[in-house]
Amino acid sequence: MINRGSEWRKWNFHVHTKGTNKNDQFTSKTLDEFFYTFFKKAYDNNVQAIGITDYFSIDRYKDSLEYVSQIQTKINSTTGAQLFTDEEINFIKNIFIFPNVELRMLPATDRARLINIHCIFNPDYVEHLENDFFGHLTNQDGKKMNKHGLIDYGQELDANLETDTLRYKKGVDNFVIDLTSLKKLINGNKKFNENCILVVSNSNQDGASGVQQHYDVFENEDGSLMGLRTSIYKISHCIFSTNPKDIKYFLGKRLEGSKDYNEDIYKKEVEEVINNRGSLKPCLVGCDSHSETTLFNKFTWIKADLTFEGLRQICFEPEQRVKIQTYKPDFKEEKVIIDKVKFISPNKKFLDTEIYLNSNLNVIIGGKSSGKSILLYSVAKTLLPDQEILLTDIAEEKYDLKSIDSGFNFEITSRSGISQLMFRDLEENSIMPDIKYIPQNYLVKLAEPELNKKGRPLNKLVRELINENPDSKSRYNNFIKNVKNFDKEREDLINHYFDLNDEIHKIEANLKTKSNKEVLETNIKTNTEKVEELNKEAGLSDEELIKYKEVQGKKADNNQKKEEFKEDFKHTNESLKEIGQQVDNLNTSKNTFINGIKDEGIKKYYCQKLDLISNLKHEIDSMVEEIKLVSDEEGKKSFTKDNKFKELVSTIEHTSKIINEELKPFQKNEQIQQQVKVLNDSISSDKKTLTEIDQLNKEKVEKNESLTKCKEDIFKIYDSTYQEYQQIITDLKGRTTDLEKDGLKIEGISQFNFVKLYKNIFEISDGRKAHYNYYPEIFNEQKKATSDFEYAIIKAELEKIFDEICNGNFAILPKVNRKDGIKILLDDYFFDYWRITYKNDKLGEMSTGKASFVILMLIIGLSISKSPILIDQPEDNLDNRSITRDLVFYLKNKKLERQIIVVTHNANIVVNSDAENIIVANQKGQNDVESSSEFLFDYINGAIENSSPINKEEKDLLKSMGIREHIADIVEGGKDAFLLREKRYRFEKLLS
């Protein structure tokens, strides 16, 4: 039979059968006819545990057992065919049937109806009930009941009652149990206590609550009546009720969901329930059928073995082992549940049959070197796509499994039926790639960075966990993209800044090569006057001189246009090529954007919208082509196509010809005109130089303005980078708020890495002058990467140092140029830091053990995957208080969300986390008691409630005792953990 430990099954605690002592409305003619219907309905409704109920009797329970024992021989009286299919027979024979004795007791309810209390007995205890139970109960008058009816009371009815059966029925109708005698029985019989679970009804009609609900604390009741009802609650283990208020109240969660509800309020409520009601209690429901029509129309989900010991667990785990609902609790997708694992070991080194796993918490226990971690490691190695975490500190495999058995392999099968081998084709992807594996000491290394020099920093781990969410990952990737773009823009701007600076220096150097402006202007004036004098000597009239000056002016203007033409052509040619490159980049970005859209309609829409980019590219290419020059054989350049520059140069050349023709009449005296030419050339040259000086000065002003603007842009980009860090913190905040319910707070902060900046600046600075010492705020060796800072102060100091490096006042090493110094200064030293606190304690100030637990909470709580979590000894370095208060509570809650497999040697994790499935590992030869098992590494599994005393005759160690006994025998503090669990839930009642 498949054993996955404690599993959810439908239980019906309260169902009557034909012949019940009160209110028998069953219409079946015979018991066989009734039980056929009864068990058919149980099968159809998948009810696997049934409490056969009757008033002051277990006879109907015995009838049901008798029927099941003969079920394979039951045939249809008409056709002779077997009544049940083989599948139905197998199901029915495995139903856990137990007796439920229903009693009535005082005090009466407001409707004068007696309170119903149910005694659910261990079937193994049935043979003792006559002596230990029925024979000890008395009513309020001190009378007892037996199979003949009420003792003494029956004598009074002899004249009217013909049979013992009628007298017994009458006795049952009138027998009201006395609370005092029941308490006396409970106090005086330990065996009775261990084999009985008392369930009280909590309805207004026949329950203990009466008119007043229990959460009103019977404010208006008489003190003695309230005391009686309180006593009834205190001796009860469970409540029959489907009222949501009852369910929450008896679990100590009446105020759950209210405003300001917190852990302290919960603890106070739990304490009040325990003080007033004796213990936390589960609420149950049964169909309470008295006719065939209502059979199994109600049921309770119970997570337990189909045994009385399994049922008894609901007293210790009233919330997590009991659910009243239609659908099966703890739903998890089958694809993320490991159903079973199997060692493939041809040489019989490992158990070669399947080990089944529970969908909740599975713990692996065993002695030293028993194969606990090998099993967990094998699961991880089979499923993890990235197996770096499986390696030791020296990058070796932790276990060489092939060396144990050369034919070794390991198989995992998911609940959805998909199997996978450890050793398989490399192309075969993992069936559960998102599992989390936390090997031994992994948490400690994260908690103590000095032990984790080769490992991942904790902050990086937290970031990766936050980004498991697809939306968060997308946002973070976009953030990284933006920051990298800003880095590139900032670097480009710094390059541009120093290019501008170089250009300014070149302009200044060029200006120094030019003559003095005043000298040039004086020379032009003097030479112009000389030209006039020479023209007079050549016999030119005043009118001719005026005309000559006019023509000379036109020539100077035309020459100026020629120079401007050259500058404009050069500028246009270079700029168009640069713009063309930018449009090429823009076009590439457009194509990347379009190709990233999956929906064809949206893609088409943006293709049309962005056609203008393609059109622009075409236009720019046409403009570049339009002004291309070609050279002839003599090297003379000319335009191949018509354009504005061709038109302009044609105009300049035509004007030059006209001016030259106009100058010919004034060139009468060759010697004088030669002198005039020399002077005019000098004038023209000086004017050209003046123009160049003016142009250079204008360019210098423009370059200086661009330099100032470039610096502003550099720091605007720096602002944008910081704002990106601020924004990503805001964007990811939602991923961390869910953890606050567990007392864990993750606060995202934009930090500045002072340490890295100081190190980088120190390395490039001239230590003899040590200018970095002048900036104690930003270059402070004592500051940490997580030190607080104000962005405005950081930025102001960076701007100041920027200027100091650029003007040479900040001494850097000769081998480092200023541009590289600025890039180092303005590198991105920001980072997203995730400050972690647990119940107001900062992670960095915790003990290693507590920090390890908090990191475990982070890994589990932030992980969005619902695939299994594998943990090897999470209790390492945790004190026992932290284990019992924190780790146990956390595992109990998280196992409801995803499957967990834990290797542990701590009993509190096993017992008080209420592990559903315990896997016991053993290696032959490693224990004082030798085992007859044929395997070197052997395993057995089952539920905590699986209990059987040690059988000294059984030589196979794992089979020689129950799971509970293995826990007590193997795990540290096993017996104490069980006692602590029972004490915590007050299973031994305070009956005073």
Side-chain angles (χ1 to χ4, degrees):
M1 184 176 177
I2 293 174
N3 185 358
R4 296 189 181 91
S6 304
E7 291 193 90
W8 287 108
R9 298 177 173 93
K10 291 180 181 179
W11 289 53
N12 194 307
F13 288 94
H14 185 185
V15 56
H16 292 268
T17 59
K18 183 173 178 60
T20 184
N21 285 329
K22 285 173 64 68
N23 196 23
D24 184 354
Q25 300 176 31
F26 295 104
T27 58
S28 300
K29 295 179 180 178
T30 64
L31 270 180
D32 273 8
E33 183 182 325
F34 167 76
F35 278 123
Y36 170 75
T37 301
F38 183 88
F39 285 112
K40 269 284 191 181
K41 285 200 172 187
Y43 171 81
D44 291 341
N45 289 280
N46 198 29
V47 175
Q48 294 179 267
I50 302 172
I52 303 295
T53 308
D54 204 359
Y55 301 90
F56 204 81
S57 172
I58 60 170
D59 290 343
R60 306 290 78 78
Y61 160 74
K62 292 178 179 178
D63 290 344
S64 65
L65 291 184
E66 178 66 22
Y67 186 85
V68 172
S69 70
Q70 301 173 15
I71 195 167
Q72 283 179 302
T73 64
K74 299 293 181 182
I75 60 173
N76 187 307
S77 59
T78 304
T79 64
Q82 187 171 297
L83 283 177
F84 298 96
T85 66
D86 290 342
E87 181 180 338
E88 289 170 338
I89 290 171
N90 185 58
F91 179 88
I92 294 167
K93 291 184 74 172
N94 284 293
I95 292 175
F96 175 53
I97 301 174
F98 54 91
N100 177 354
V101 177
E102 187 169 0
L103 303 172
R104 291 168 302 148
M105 63 189 303
L106 289 172
T109 68
D110 62 305
R111 301 186 183 183
R113 296 184 64 170
L114 299 170
I115 294 171
N116 285 354
I117 189 163
H118 296 252
C119 302
I120 295 175
F121 289 108
N122 184 350
D124 296 338
Y125 185 60
V126 166
E127 61 184 276
H128 303 286
L129 289 182
E130 192 63 42
N131 291 327
D132 289 0
F133 177 60
F134 293 118
H136 288 268
L137 294 180
T138 61
N139 67 3
Q140 67 271 30
D141 298 324
K143 294 180 180 180
K144 294 184 178 182
M145 264 283 294
N146 64 18
K147 62 182 180 180
H148 301 293
L150 277 171
I151 298 176
D152 296 333
Y153 183 79
Q155 300 300 321
E156 299 171 13
L157 300 176
D158 270 343
N160 300 317
L161 297 178
E162 297 179 358
T163 64
D164 283 347
T165 300
L166 290 174
R167 287 169 56 197
Y168 174 75
K169 289 263 187 186
K170 186 66 176 178
V172 168
D173 287 340
N174 290 276
F175 186 78
V176 179
I177 191 173
D178 175 52
L179 177 60
T180 302
S181 69
L182 183 57
K183 289 174 66 175
K184 184 177 179 181
L185 171 60
I186 294 170
N187 282 327
N189 192 330
K190 183 180 179 182
K191 197 169 184 180
F192 177 87
N193 265 321
E194 292 173 347
N195 291 280
C196 178
I197 293 176
L198 297 175
V199 188
V200 66
S201 174
N202 206 53
S203 69
N204 288 347
Q205 293 186 350
D206 57 4
S209 65
V211 174
Q212 294 292 330
Q213 291 295 319
H214 44 75
Y215 30 83
D216 293 331
V217 200
F218 310 122
E219 291 177 353
N220 301 320
E221 286 193 343
D222 173 78
S224 61
L225 183 57
M226 183 177 70
L228 283 170
R229 290 185 171 175
T230 299
S231 293
I232 293 173
Y233 279 126
K234 285 193 173 184
I235 66 170
S236 301
H237 305 99
C238 310
I239 306 295
F240 269 137
S241 176
T242 57
N243 187 330
K245 289 185 177 180
D246 286 353
I247 295 170
K248 293 183 75 172
Y249 170 80
F250 282 107
L251 294 176
K253 292 192 171 185
R254 178 170 60 93
L255 297 176
E256 185 181 44
S258 62
K259 187 180 179 182
D260 301 325
Y261 182 78
N262 56 39
E263 186 178 352
D264 290 336
I265 293 174
Y266 169 64
K267 287 180 179 177
K268 185 178 179 181
E269 276 203 89
V270 168
E271 185 179 345
E272 286 179 0
V273 173
I274 291 175
N275 288 336
N276 295 326
R277 301 294 177 250
S279 68
L280 300 182
K281 305 177 194 296
C283 286
L284 312 174
V285 66
C287 61
D288 192 13
S289 295
H290 286 262
S291 69
E292 287 88 349
T293 56
T294 58
L295 284 172
F296 307 117
N297 63 350
K298 295 178 183 178
F299 57 86
T300 307
W301 287 102
I302 300 293
K303 183 169 59 178
D305 271 356
L306 291 171
T307 62
F308 182 79
E309 188 61 35
L311 176 58
R312 192 169 177 261
Q313 303 308 302
I314 69 174
C315 302
F316 312 133
E317 303 292 342
E319 180 179 6
Q320 290 202 346
R321 282 190 177 244
V322 181
K323 298 292 178 185
I324 299 175
Q325 59 191 53
T326 303
Y327 51 89
K328 190 175 183 178
D330 297 352
F331 170 77
K332 297 180 180 75
E333 279 194 271
E334 291 186 343
K335 70 176 182 178
V336 292
I337 298 297
I338 299 173
D339 185 53
K340 59 184 177 181
V341 299
K342 182 182 179 181
F343 290 101
I344 297 172
S345 180
N347 297 313
K348 299 290 185 181
K349 297 296 184 181
F350 293 90
L351 174 73
D352 59 5
T353 57
E354 288 94 348
I355 302 171
Y356 284 87
L357 300 183
N358 194 281
S359 61
N360 284 3
L361 178 59
N362 304 264
V363 297
I364 308 170
I365 64 172
K368 185 177 180 181
S369 301
S370 58
K372 305 185 299 293
S373 294
I374 285 179
L375 176 56
L376 194 72
Y377 172 88
S378 297
V379 175
K381 184 170 176 59
T382 304
L383 296 178
L384 278 174
D386 180 4
Q387 304 206 344
E388 183 180 352
I389 198 171
L390 297 173
L391 302 177
T392 65
D393 291 339
I394 57 174
E396 292 181 350
E397 291 270 357
K398 185 175 181 180
Y399 298 104
D400 184 2
L401 299 169
K402 291 275 190 182
S403 68
I404 301 174
D405 189 329
S406 58
F408 179 88
N409 212 328
F410 189 79
E411 184 178 45
I412 291 176
T413 304
S414 70
R415 189 64 61 86
S416 59
I418 307 299
S419 296
Q420 187 156 60
L421 293 171
M422 178 188 293
F423 299 105
R424 59 184 186 269
D425 291 339
L426 294 177
E427 294 77 18
E428 185 181 335
N429 293 334
S430 170
I431 60 174
M432 292 184 199
D434 297 329
I435 68 160
K436 285 281 182 287
Y437 175 55
I438 305 172
Q440 193 175 356
N441 297 323
Y442 177 75
L443 298 173
V444 176
K445 288 179 181 179
L446 287 172
E448 297 186 7
E450 61 272 15
L451 300 178
N452 190 32
K453 293 176 182 177
K454 295 183 180 179
R456 288 186 299 174
L458 180 58
N459 197 59
K460 182 180 179 184
L461 175 65
V462 173
R463 185 189 300 123
E464 288 175 356
L465 291 168
I466 288 173
N467 290 332
E468 279 192 12
N469 178 284
D471 180 61
S472 298
K473 185 175 183 180
S474 175
R475 288 171 183 266
Y476 198 84
N477 288 342
N478 192 55
F479 152 74
I480 293 295
K481 180 181 177 182
N482 291 343
V483 168
K484 285 183 176 179
N485 286 339
F486 288 142
D487 288 346
K488 186 178 185 305
E489 287 182 46
R490 187 175 61 251
E491 185 169 344
D492 289 345
L493 283 170
I494 291 172
N495 290 336
H496 183 52
Y497 182 89
F498 280 92
D499 287 344
L500 287 170
N501 210 34
D502 289 344
E503 289 171 12
I504 291 170
H505 289 155
K506 287 178 181 177
I507 290 171
E508 290 173 343
N510 199 2
L511 280 170
K512 288 179 181 179
T513 65
K514 306 297 180 184
S515 180
N516 184 279
K517 190 174 181 180
E518 185 178 355
V519 171
L520 291 171
E521 289 173 344
T522 301
N523 196 46
I524 290 169
K525 182 179 178 183
T526 301
N527 286 341
T528 301
E529 290 172 351
K530 287 182 179 179
V531 167
E532 290 178 2
E533 291 175 3
L534 287 171
N535 282 326
K536 284 181 180 180
E537 290 179 14
L540 294 177
S541 65
D542 290 342
E543 289 181 1
E544 288 174 325
L545 284 173
I546 292 171
K547 180 65 176 175
Y548 177 74
K549 288 176 69 176
E550 181 184 332
V551 175
Q552 282 292 109
K554 288 197 288 183
K555 183 176 182 179
D557 290 342
N558 201 48
N559 287 338
Q560 178 68 25
K561 284 184 179 180
K562 190 174 182 179
E563 293 301 321
E564 288 175 353
F565 160 81
K566 292 177 181 178
E567 292 294 330
D568 285 347
F569 178 75
K570 179 182 177 183
H571 173 71
T572 302
N573 197 32
E574 291 175 352
S575 296
L576 282 176
K577 288 179 181 178
E578 183 180 340
I579 293 171
Q581 183 60 50
Q582 292 174 353
V583 173
D584 283 340
N585 295 338
L586 187 60
N587 208 38
T588 300
S589 297
K590 180 205 79 170
N591 291 335
T592 302
F593 164 61
I594 294 297
N595 292 333
I597 299 174
K598 295 179 175 61
D599 184 86
E600 288 300 324
I602 296 175
K603 181 180 287 189
K604 183 178 179 181
Y605 172 79
Y606 282 105
C607 273
Q608 293 173 347
K609 285 285 185 182
L610 296 175
D611 269 349
L612 57 94
I613 296 176
S614 300
N615 295 336
L616 180 60
K617 166 66 175 165
H618 176 72
E619 289 295 326
I620 297 296
D621 289 344
S622 296
M623 291 182 209
V624 172
E625 186 66 26
E626 188 179 64
I627 61 173
K628 269 189 177 180
L629 291 171
V630 294
S631 300
D632 58 17
E633 294 178 356
E634 297 177 357
K636 184 179 179 181
K637 294 182 178 180
S638 61
F639 292 102
T640 59
K641 296 183 179 181
D642 292 337
N643 58 69
K644 288 292 183 183
F645 285 105
K646 186 176 182 180
E647 291 176 12
L648 181 58
V649 75
S650 178
T651 301
I652 291 171
E653 289 176 351
H654 178 69
T655 302
S656 181
K657 288 179 181 179
I658 293 173
I659 291 171
N660 288 334
E661 289 297 320
E662 289 178 349
L663 284 173
K664 283 181 180 180
F666 304 104
Q667 299 171 347
K668 296 177 180 178
N669 186 313
E670 187 176 343
Q671 185 176 0
I672 291 174
Q673 289 307 315
Q674 187 64 36
Q675 293 178 22
V676 169
K677 182 179 183 305
V678 171
L679 290 171
N680 280 335
D681 287 345
S682 176
I683 292 169
S684 179
S685 175
D686 288 346
K687 285 185 176 180
K688 180 181 177 184
T689 302
L690 277 177
T691 301
E692 289 174 350
I693 290 172
D694 288 341
Q695 183 63 31
L696 287 171
N697 281 322
K698 181 182 176 183
E699 286 183 18
K700 182 179 176 182
V701 170
E702 290 175 349
K703 296 291 183 185
N704 276 315
E705 288 175 352
S706 296
L707 194 71
T708 301
K709 175 70 165 50
C710 187
K711 178 188 172 184
E712 290 174 359
D713 290 342
I714 288 170
F715 281 93
K716 281 180 182 178
I717 292 292
Y718 200 82
D719 289 340
S720 298
T721 300
Y722 176 66
Q723 288 161 9
E724 279 293 321
Y725 281 91
Q726 294 284 82
Q727 186 61 47
I728 193 60
I729 294 295
T730 302
D731 289 346
L732 299 183
K733 185 177 180 180
R735 277 282 285 132
T736 64
T737 52
D738 286 346
L739 301 181
E740 293 180 10
K741 66 180 183 297
D742 296 320
L744 187 63
K745 184 177 181 181
I746 304 178
E747 182 185 6
I749 307 168
S750 298
Q751 289 290 159
F752 187 83
N753 197 334
F754 290 96
V755 177
K756 185 177 179 182
L757 174 63
Y758 181 86
K759 176 178 177 293
N760 290 346
I761 292 296
F762 180 83
E763 287 177 352
I764 67 168
S765 297
D766 186 340
R768 292 170 298 178
K769 297 181 181 179
H771 283 92
Y772 47 83
N773 289 330
Y774 302 162
Y775 302 94
E777 179 64 29
I778 195 167
F779 298 145
N780 187 336
E781 193 176 8
Q782 304 304 316
K783 282 198 172 187
K784 300 178 181 178
T786 54
S787 296
D788 293 334
F789 73 95
E790 288 187 30
Y791 176 72
I793 295 175
I794 295 291
K795 181 184 176 184
E797 289 212 357
L798 288 172
E799 288 182 303
K800 184 177 179 183
I801 299 163
F802 180 98
D803 292 336
E804 296 289 274
I805 291 177
C806 288
N807 62 31
N809 290 335
F810 190 101
I812 58 179
L813 294 171
K815 66 180 180 180
V816 181
N817 62 51
R818 293 176 186 177
K819 178 166 66 174
D820 290 337
I822 292 296
K823 288 180 180 179
I824 290 171
L825 176 72
L826 297 184
D827 197 3
D828 180 5
Y829 293 101
F830 298 107
F831 64 98
D832 51 306
Y833 176 67
W834 302 93
R835 182 179 294 164
I836 300 161
T837 55
Y838 178 60
K839 296 181 178 178
N840 299 320
D841 289 339
K842 292 182 180 178
L843 182 63
E845 299 172 2
M846 298 175 188
S847 67
T848 300
K850 188 172 184 180
S852 298
F853 167 65
V854 170
I855 295 168
L856 175 65
M857 291 178 69
L858 287 172
I859 293 173
I860 297 176
L862 283 176
S863 174
I864 194 169
S865 166
K866 295 304 178 185
S867 292
I869 299 172
L870 320 178
I871 318 172
D872 199 342
Q873 294 185 200
E875 71 272 15
D876 285 356
N877 298 102
L878 273 178
D879 59 80
N880 207 48
R881 181 181 176 88
S882 296
I883 293 171
T884 54
R885 289 187 56 183
D886 295 323
L887 183 56
V888 164
F889 176 80
Y890 196 68
L891 289 175
K892 282 183 71 170
N893 284 282
K894 290 304 170 184
K895 69 182 181 179
L896 305 180
E897 299 174 10
R898 58 199 294 189
Q899 187 179 40
I900 301 176
I901 310 172
V902 178
V903 169
T904 184
H905 52 66
N906 187 283
N908 284 311
I909 292 178
V910 181
V911 179
N912 289 297
S913 293
D914 194 31
E916 281 78 2
N917 189 31
I918 317 300
I919 302 170
V920 185
N922 182 61
Q923 182 185 172
K924 189 186 290 188
Q926 293 294 314
N927 299 287
D928 295 334
V929 180
E930 188 55 69
S931 176
S932 64
S933 171
E934 62 179 317
F935 306 105
L936 177 63
F937 291 98
D938 201 0
Y939 301 87
I940 194 171
N941 72 290
I944 286 177
E945 56 264 28
N946 179 289
S947 178
S948 61
I950 297 174
N951 178 6
K952 294 183 179 180
E953 300 299 318
E954 174 60 65
K955 299 304 179 184
D956 188 326
L957 179 62
L958 293 183
K959 297 176 182 177
S960 66
M961 64 186 84
I963 296 296
R964 179 173 179 140
E965 286 69 31
H966 275 299
I967 296 169
D969 183 55
I970 296 172
V971 187
E972 297 171 7
K975 293 179 181 178
D976 293 338
F978 279 109
L979 292 173
L980 173 66
R981 183 175 184 239
E982 296 191 8
K983 182 179 179 182
R984 179 153 51 96
Y985 286 98
R986 304 288 289 276
F987 190 70
E988 295 180 3
K989 302 298 170 186
L990 302 175
L991 302 177
S992 58

